[in-house]
Amino acid sequence: PQDYQKGFNEGYLLAKHRPDISDGLKGLHPHTPRLEGMKDGKTEYEYECLKQKEALQNKNARNQERDMALDVENDLEPDLD
């Protein structure tokens, strides 16, 4: 368990700071707890990045919808000039 955890943390940090190196983890053998942890740490980092990207896209879509609704609302107001 300790080797796996150490590998997980290393894989996470490699994916974050050196994705070029972490991409090479896929084909490595033998399958040790530390190596499996590194692969899982890399996967976890990639998953978190994907979730952040999706959250940002959803936020941008909501803002865009709000802005469009405000534009329509402003177009419907009578001109008081």
Side-chain angles (χ1 to χ4, degrees):
Q2 190 175 8
D3 283 344
Y4 176 87
Q5 184 66 47
K6 189 172 187 175
F8 184 95
N9 293 338
E10 291 168 342
Y12 186 97
L13 291 173
L14 272 176
K16 184 174 184 177
H17 299 290
R18 292 296 307 266
D20 55 318
I21 294 174
S22 71
D23 287 341
L25 294 175
K26 295 175 192 168
L28 291 180
H29 297 283
H31 295 285
T32 63
R34 187 168 178 183
L35 185 55
E36 291 302 314
M38 290 179 83
K39 291 176 184 179
D40 291 346
K42 175 186 182 305
T43 300
E44 176 65 23
Y45 177 75
E46 291 169 345
Y47 175 76
E48 289 177 10
C49 288
L50 180 63
K51 288 310 224 182
Q52 286 178 345
K53 184 178 178 181
E54 288 175 352
L56 183 59
Q57 287 173 341
N58 290 338
K59 180 180 176 183
N60 289 340
R62 285 191 307 272
N63 287 343
Q64 205 170 32
E65 288 172 4
R66 184 199 68 222
D67 291 346
M68 287 173 52
L70 288 174
D71 287 344
V72 168
E73 188 177 298
N74 289 337
D75 288 345
L76 296 176
E77 291 180 6
D79 214 3
L80 299 176
D81 292 337

